[in-house]
Amino acid sequence: EPEAVIQPQKDKKRFLASYKPSVLVNELRIIIGQAVDPSSKTQVVTSLLDQAQQQGVIETALFDAGYFNQQVIDATEERGIELLCPEGRSQGKDWHKQSGKYYPKSHFQYDPEQDHYRCPQGEILTCQSRYKGNAASPAYRLYASEACGRCSHKDQCTRSAKGRRIKRYASDGAKDALRQKMQQPAAREHYVKRQGMVEPVFSHLRYQQGLNRFRRKGLAGVRVEFSLHALA
């Protein structure tokens, strides 16, 4: 199965040659877009949105935290679709990305007027250098602070002797705007409908139709098989 990718299964314990199926559904739980990729669920977002727009006007798209990236932001913006997508788990007061090791980048607040970051302890990180980027790596600005050396929370932030470094990419502005939108009560109230819309569809595919594994080989065959399940 050379087109499949070895990846973790639902139980997080097994690794098998697999494909990633995706669906886009409406409020009636009707599939209006479907696709299969060897390993990425974000690569098919443009296809899902295009399929959905063939059925009518799409005003808002609700995606889970796994889709919080520039590719999805650009795909929805180009099509005039509002995007609601949290960076972290949509539970509790803070929907930002969490980490059990160090403060995530989202906990550093960027001030566009002053062009600096403020860390969770209130210290200022200023721009230290710039990287122009190349074909493989995008350009960024590097921010740091001398206060890291005397900070009592350094172990919660970084293990680097030079202190915490924050890279700011051109795409970070759009991500900051999306984070702020997801703090609005109206956006959150709308977003929480996502689980009730799409999860029953996956449940039906798995437990009513028995789609716990693909039985055809090769990406083309798997796409045909999943299309038939989605149609059913």
Side-chain angles (χ1 to χ4, degrees), residues 159-195:
R159 62 181 180 182
S160 171
K162 297 180 180 180
R164 183 65 181 264
R165 300 288 192 268
I166 298 292
K167 295 179 180 179
R168 185 166 185 83
Y169 299 91
S171 62
D172 283 344
K175 291 181 179 179
D176 289 341
L178 182 54
R179 290 189 189 99
Q180 292 179 4
K181 178 189 292 186
M182 296 309 298
Q183 295 300 311
Q184 299 173 5
R188 291 189 174 194
E189 183 179 357
H190 191 173
Y191 177 79
V192 295
K193 299 177 181 179
R194 187 204 69 85
Q195 187 172 15

Side-chain angles (χ1 to χ4, degrees), residues 3-65:
E3 294 179 284
V5 175
I6 301 296
Q7 48 200 327
Q9 304 304 292
K10 285 291 185 180
D11 58 14
K12 305 298 183 182
K13 298 179 180 179
R14 299 174 300 152
F15 288 78
L16 298 173
S18 312
Y19 296 98
K20 281 190 178 296
S22 300
V23 297
L24 202 62
V25 307
N26 61 17
E27 292 180 342
L28 299 177
R29 300 174 183 168
I30 296 175
I31 296 176
I32 54 177
Q34 59 84 21
V36 179
D37 187 86
S39 64
S40 174
K41 59 184 183 181
T42 59
Q43 289 291 335
V44 299
V45 166
T46 56
S47 174
L48 294 176
L49 294 175
D50 288 342
Q51 292 175 55
Q53 286 190 317
Q54 291 178 5
Q55 315 306 317
V57 176
I58 307 298
E59 296 181 353
T60 305
L62 317 177
F63 287 99
D64 66 30

Side-chain angles (χ1 to χ4, degrees), residues 1 5 11 13 16 25 35 43 48 54 65 70 81 84 87 95-96 100 108 117 127 140 155 181 188 205-206 215:
E1 193 67 14
V5 175
D11 58 14
K13 298 179 180 179
L16 298 173
V25 307
Q43 289 291 335
L48 294 176
Q54 291 178 5
Q70 191 62 36
I81 300 173
L84 296 183
E87 186 180 25
W95 286 19
H96 288 321
F108 291 73
Y117 277 94
C127 184
Y140 63 80
D155 290 343
K181 178 189 292 186
R188 291 189 174 194
L205 288 168
R206 292 190 64 191
R215 289 167 172 77

Side-chain angles (χ1 to χ4, degrees), residues 36-115:
V36 179
D37 187 86
S39 64
S40 174
K41 59 184 183 181
T42 59
Q43 289 291 335
V44 299
V45 166
T46 56
S47 174
L48 294 176
L49 294 175
D50 288 342
Q51 292 175 55
Q53 286 190 317
Q54 291 178 5
Q55 315 306 317
V57 176
I58 307 298
E59 296 181 353
T60 305
L62 317 177
F63 287 99
D64 66 30
Y67 293 85
F68 190 95
N69 62 37
Q70 191 62 36
Q71 182 180 13
V72 177
I73 293 174
D74 290 343
T76 51
E77 183 177 356
E78 290 169 2
R79 290 160 178 78
I81 300 173
E82 179 190 27
L83 173 64
L84 296 183
C85 178
E87 186 180 25
R89 297 181 62 186
S90 55
Q91 298 178 1
K93 296 181 179 180
D94 186 2
W95 286 19
H96 288 321
K97 184 177 181 179
Q98 302 296 323
S99 172
K101 296 180 62 176
Y102 302 116
Y103 294 133
K105 180 180 177 179
S106 60
H107 285 201
F108 291 73
Q109 298 180 349
Y110 180 70
D111 186 334
E113 295 184 359
Q114 301 296 325
D115 188 26

